[in-house]
Amino acid sequence: MPLSLDDPSPLARAAPEGVWPIDPEPRVTSLAGRQHWRFRGGRPIAAEVAGVAIPADDARIAHLGIRRDRQGRPFPAAFAHSPETGAPLGPPVPTLAPEILDIDLESATEVPLPSGVPALVRAGHPAALYLFQENLGAFEEWDGRNFVGLGRLPPHPVGSGITAGRRGIAYTTAAVLVSVRLPQLTQSLVHTEVRVPGLRFLSAPSRQSGSLLALGERGGRLVLCRKDADSTALDLRDLGCTAPDADFAGPWTNRLGDTFWTGPDGFVACRTLGDETTVASWPAGFAPIIAQAPWRDRADLHHQLGMLEGRYHLAALASDPALHQLDGPHLAAGPCTYSGAERFDVPWQAAEEAVNLGAHAGNLLVPLLALARDTILLALDIPGPRGGFLRGESLPAPVTGHVLHHAHGAGLRRLPVGLAVSRIGDARALLHDGVLYLWSRSACRCHALRLRTA
């Protein structure tokens, strides 16, 4: 009877030895080429593909499309059960973001970050962890212990940073649209730079239907720039208005795939239905606070924080940008700053296990990551008035705050790490392959906290 790796019976527990050839599964990896896995005593030692050998404890082995056992050991994605014990293996990794963060507080380790302006990026198929130094252009890959340099790219991205996808990353500088194909186990960093004479980019790009979209200015006019897949040309569409002097923030996307950018004079919405792009002005007298990311309510509608007649208001990103006034207790940086799902309950709707976004023990709460039932927040003691910090002003010196884990319905608990910030956006959080990464631009420090297995 042939041996089936999907069969948990004792016959399927024969421990493999030596080299096993495995064909890649395109549903879990875009890395082509037959994989040669080396086993000893039923445990993986290393794998080789295209002449590149990867030890089993190297995080880059996930490029091959793998599953892990309860001890974190990698196996080919074709293995449904451990050949050593017959126990079921986990789903192909990197695993999806869980609804509940069960954090192993004893697992906190500090990850060295090089000097520069760090931005962690999760991209690829399967997704891997990369580091981009925005002021230097250095692009590096995480191997489980260190960031390995892959090459240099144009520095100083415009807008909200890097757009990541299954095939690679993309971003804009003032003069060029950069598209990078992720190397995956090679040291060659292949990228294209597209520019048009007289064109100045005003936003980070968005991926939509296989194309890259970004806002720009040419001849004083606001234009939508489109780059189709594998093309080296830009299609420019005049949006019928004057370009602002400042850059746009975003992009942000709703569940329908519509893209939004917010600017000082209004916002731009690019709809997936009918390829419609519209420019909407803010209500009269409304001054948006572009440093704050839009707030998304339960109806999947985004709202921009801003000022009107000296009071904080939210303006809906809709064809009719209705205003809602906020009072003091609802003002904390809250849902307008975190870089997760941008979803919190809004003050004019009935609360559903919402985080109290006011002060906590005298500190200002800045959410960093939001999941369906968990939130990671940073509690800061801001010196002086908080209004300037909320509006994007930098502090005279970095302030270190403590990180809180809010499990909805179970209150707050303090995590054993601290992050330093000098302005909103300095602190970030990212989930990757069962690890919560928390890092600070101001301090160039990153902490990794492993999640407990269910």
Side-chain angles (χ1 to χ4, degrees):
M1 184 173 64
L3 177 67
S4 171
L5 293 171
D6 292 327
D7 181 5
S9 68
L11 288 177
R13 299 179 186 177
E17 289 289 334
V19 177
W20 280 37
I22 302 289
D23 289 324
E25 171 52 68
R27 290 175 298 178
V28 298
T29 178
S30 60
L31 187 64
R34 171 165 283 193
Q35 305 166 8
H36 298 274
W37 285 76
R38 184 154 49 91
F39 288 87
R40 182 183 304 148
R43 298 182 180 183
I45 303 301
E48 181 178 318
V49 61
V52 180
I54 315 164
D57 61 352
D58 191 319
R60 293 173 295 179
I61 202 168
H63 286 310
L64 280 63
I66 63 170
R67 300 176 190 265
R68 294 190 188 274
D69 63 10
R70 290 184 179 273
Q71 287 71 45
R73 291 187 291 255
F75 289 87
F79 284 42
H81 297 81
S82 168
E84 182 183 16
T85 66
L89 297 174
V93 296
T95 56
L96 297 176
E99 287 192 355
I100 299 177
L101 297 180
D102 190 5
I103 300 171
D104 182 3
L105 299 183
E106 303 299 325
S107 70
T109 57
E110 186 167 336
V111 177
L113 290 182
S115 60
V117 180
L120 286 181
V121 183
R122 186 176 184 271
H125 178 225
L129 194 62
Y130 298 91
L131 172 70
F132 181 60
Q133 298 183 57
E134 296 183 352
N135 61 329
L136 304 174
F139 193 69
E140 306 179 2
E141 183 180 25
W142 177 243
D143 69 357
R145 289 176 295 272
N146 298 286
F147 284 100
V148 181
L150 297 176
R152 290 294 181 98
L153 298 169
H156 306 298
V158 169
S160 301
I162 293 175
T163 300
R166 290 163 64 95
R167 300 184 62 186
I169 66 169
Y171 64 97
T172 61
T173 67
V176 63
L177 172 61
V178 183
S179 180
V180 183
R181 186 181 294 274
L182 295 177
Q184 289 191 308
L185 305 186
T186 70
Q187 296 300 311
S188 59
L189 194 60
V190 179
H191 76 283
T192 59
E193 301 179 18
V194 181
R195 67 185 76 218
V196 173
L199 175 67
R200 177 172 61 95
F201 287 101
L202 299 178
S203 79
S206 171
R207 293 189 185 274
Q208 197 173 88
S209 302
S211 299
L212 287 173
L213 305 177
L215 299 177
E217 176 269 331
R218 194 181 193 197
R221 305 287 292 176
L222 182 63
V223 295
L224 178 70
C225 313
R226 179 187 296 271
K227 176 187 175 297
D228 293 330
D230 300 322
S231 173
T232 58
L234 279 180
D235 175 58
L236 305 183
R237 182 193 304 177
D238 192 307
L239 296 181
C241 63
T242 302
D245 294 331
D247 294 336
F248 283 82
W252 293 279
T253 306
N254 63 16
R255 295 187 186 97
L256 298 177
D258 301 331
T259 297
F260 303 89
W261 292 273
T262 54
D265 303 325
F267 67 91
V268 177
C270 189
R271 311 285 182 181
T272 56
L273 183 62
D275 194 26
E276 175 190 5
T277 302
T278 58
V279 181
S281 299
W282 300 120
F286 179 77
I289 300 173
I290 302 301
Q292 302 272 1
W295 186 340
R296 194 176 74 185
D297 65 15
R298 297 197 305 273
D300 201 31
L301 178 62
H302 288 75
H303 305 260
Q304 179 64 51
L305 182 68
M307 301 288 291
L308 178 65
E309 298 177 349
R311 300 297 301 271
Y312 286 92
H313 288 71
L314 287 173
L317 302 189
S319 55
D320 179 16
L323 286 175
H324 294 276
Q325 182 174 311
L326 297 180
D327 55 22
H330 296 296
L331 174 58
C336 304
T337 62
Y338 66 107
S339 52
E342 290 120 22
R343 186 229 185 265
F344 265 92
D345 295 293
V346 292
W348 56 89
Q349 293 179 342
E352 290 183 357
E353 273 196 332
V355 177
N356 177 4
L357 297 176
H360 170 71
N363 294 307
L364 183 68
L365 294 183
V366 180
L368 303 178
L369 179 69
L371 298 174
R373 295 181 58 184
D374 281 63
T375 307
I376 301 295
L377 309 104
L378 180 64
L380 295 167
D381 183 10
I382 301 295
R386 296 175 176 177
F389 179 81
L390 293 175
R391 290 189 288 270
E393 297 177 11
S394 60
L395 301 172
V399 173
T400 299
H402 54 273
V403 180
L404 298 172
H405 173 209
H406 176 78
H408 292 212
L412 293 165
R413 60 172 172 163
R414 185 168 176 170
L415 300 183
V417 298
L419 298 177
V421 304
S422 61
R423 67 179 66 205
I424 283 182
D426 272 358
R428 288 286 185 265
L430 179 146
L431 273 175
H432 175 70
D433 198 12
V435 176
L436 173 66
Y437 292 90
L438 299 162
W439 77 100
S440 166
R441 290 169 176 256
S442 294
C444 285
R445 296 177 66 195
C446 180
H447 303 272
L449 289 84
R450 182 161 294 279
L451 306 181
R452 291 193 181 96
T453 55

